[in-house]
Amino acid sequence: MDPTAPRSHGPISIRLVRSRDARGLQAELMGNRAWLRPWEATSPDGPVSLDMRVGVRRLLQQYRDGGGVPFVMEYHGQLTGQLNVWGISRGSLSSATIGYWVSERYAGLGITPTCVALATDLCFQELRLHRMEVCIRPENRASLRVVEKLGFRYEGLRRRYIHIDGQWRDHYAFALVREEVPDGILQRWLSGRVPADAAVIPPADRFDPERGVEEGST
């Protein structure tokens, strides 16, 4: 099976990004600035371009080089956001990381968890990777719900891990290995077999959004 062929569940699907998607992605990014800015990667060296024509070219080059697989997420055939499998490592590590964003008007429709499940299954079953990781800012409750629904296992707090919205930000790390979902993560979720406590964050690592610190900090 072609690992870049579209994958779908009901009206929700992922497919490899195309050069002609740049205009639609640009429109979604610009129309969702307030919604997306708090979670967008930035550069400590200064402003970066939001030109999606350049961005898509870079993503497709990364795909050709074997370093990632860039997808768009769709709902009833309409572009809703992006999901990128990046940092692919082969050999003894055999892992990758998933990052994603969805337009505000499509939030709450189950698009993101379904697409993350589709992409994870593809990486395990077609790309034969062993471990998939998702890293999330502690303040991003919507994204935390994605890993809770799918049963990604909490692995720890990474301090000042990624430059987001102008600063180095802490992230929670969640992961799955292939042996944990032998029938696929989508099937496990749909059949109600997700472990209830897999993504639970221990008190020492929990973030207090009102104080801006972890609950266990002093």
Side-chain angles (χ1 to χ4, degrees), residues 201-207 214-217:
I201 299 161
D205 289 352
R206 289 179 190 161
F207 184 81
E214 286 77 36
E215 289 182 5
S217 301

Side-chain angles (χ1 to χ4, degrees), residues 29 66 73 75 87 99 184-185:
L29 284 171
M73 303 190 293
Y75 184 69
I185 186 173

Side-chain angles (χ1 to χ4, degrees), residues 19 40-41 64 91 94 171 178 207:
S19 296
E40 282 183 343
R64 289 189 289 269
S94 191
H171 282 68
R178 195 164 63 209
F207 184 81

Side-chain angles (χ1 to χ4, degrees), residues 20-180:
R20 63 177 178 268
D21 292 320
R23 179 177 294 182
L25 289 170
Q26 183 86 23
E28 293 297 332
L29 284 171
M30 298 310 295
N32 284 266
R33 297 309 302 137
W35 169 255
L36 296 174
R37 186 179 288 111
W39 322 116
E40 282 183 343
T42 48
S43 171
D45 298 322
V48 295
S49 172
L50 285 176
D51 186 341
M52 283 307 299
R53 292 172 299 178
V54 175
V56 169
R57 282 200 298 269
R58 288 175 176 168
L59 289 170
L60 289 173
Q61 185 61 55
Q62 184 183 61
Y63 166 65
R64 289 189 289 269
D65 292 341
V69 186
F71 296 103
V72 293
M73 303 190 293
E74 294 183 323
Y75 184 69
H76 287 293
Q78 298 298 308
L79 191 152
T80 66
Q82 281 183 277
L83 184 151
N84 293 320
V85 176
W86 60 276
I88 291 179
S89 296
R90 293 291 185 175
S92 58
L93 191 56
S94 191
S95 70
T97 299
I98 289 178
Y100 48 80
W101 62 264
V102 67
S103 297
E104 184 175 14
R105 68 181 182 278
Y106 291 107
L109 297 177
I111 294 169
T112 303
T114 301
C115 290
V116 170
L118 290 168
T120 301
D121 284 345
L122 181 151
C123 288
F124 284 157
Q125 297 165 7
E126 306 301 327
L127 300 183
R128 305 304 296 170
L129 296 178
H130 179 250
R131 180 179 181 277
M132 298 300 295
E133 179 175 277
V134 180
C135 294
I136 301 170
R137 283 187 61 183
E139 307 93 329
N140 193 342
R141 296 190 181 279
S143 202
L144 290 172
R145 284 290 297 136
V146 171
V147 293
E148 289 169 3
K149 288 178 180 179
L150 297 179
F152 273 76
R153 177 175 25 80
Y154 179 70
E155 291 199 331
L157 174 66
R158 296 185 177 177
R159 295 191 179 277
R160 312 297 185 262
Y161 180 54
I162 303 177
H163 203 269
I164 300 286
D165 193 26
Q167 295 185 38
W168 293 105
R169 309 285 186 173
D170 293 352
H171 282 68
Y172 292 145
F174 302 85
L176 279 174
V177 295
R178 195 164 63 209
E179 294 89 340
E180 291 177 281

